[in-house]
């Protein structure tokens, strides 16, 4: 695909110590229309007003994680938790740019 960089294999650090660069990311989005009785996730219904602040907090957390841990180009970003599709497209786009 045009504009995509080729993926390079992740190799262990020299000497075998340390972490391999992260290639996959899970983002927990705890927003739901209603909380199902069987759900054990940290999820909340009727809290949509918190979405922009929550995305801002995730952006700060991601910036901190990049300073503290090795990352390579991500292969997978998994959005899970509540009902991630409730997050407005512009907020999802902000997260994907980060």
């Amino acid at each position: 695909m045009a504009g995509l960089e080729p993926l390079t294999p992740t190799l262990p650090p020299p000497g075998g110590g340390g972490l391999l660069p992260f290639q996959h990311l899970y983002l927990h989005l705890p927003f739901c229309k209603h909380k199902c009785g069987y759900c054990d996730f940290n999820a909340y219904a009727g809290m949509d007003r918190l979405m922009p602040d929550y995305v801002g907090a995730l952006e700060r957390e991601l910036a901190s994680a990049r300073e503290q841990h090795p990352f390579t180009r991500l292969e997978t970003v998994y959005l899970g938790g509540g009902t991630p599709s409730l997050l407005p497209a512009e907020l999802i786009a902000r997260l994907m740019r980060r």
Side-chain angles (χ1 to χ4, degrees):
M1 295 174 101
L4 294 179
E5 301 170 17
L7 296 176
T8 55
T10 302
L11 301 174
L19 293 173
L20 294 176
F22 290 100
Q23 297 177 323
H24 311 282
L25 181 66
Y26 170 81
L27 295 175
H28 187 80
L29 301 172
F31 303 102
C32 293
K33 285 275 184 205
H34 67 276
K35 179 74 172 169
C36 298
Y38 59 82
C39 180
D40 286 335
F41 281 117
N42 178 20
Y44 304 95
M47 303 295 274
D48 295 6
R49 70 185 185 287
L50 298 178
M51 289 178 177
D53 290 338
Y54 187 83
V55 167
L58 279 178
E59 289 174 322
R60 290 187 299 278
E61 184 70 20
L62 289 169
S64 176
R66 287 186 70 176
E67 292 174 4
Q68 297 175 37
H69 303 289
F71 279 81
T72 188
R73 182 171 176 206
L74 294 175
E75 290 184 26
T76 307
V77 176
Y78 179 79
L79 305 176
T83 308
S85 60
L86 289 180
L87 204 65
E90 64 271 9
L91 293 178
I92 291 176
R94 266 178 53 187
L95 285 173
M96 293 300 108
R97 282 191 299 271
R98 179 64 59 186

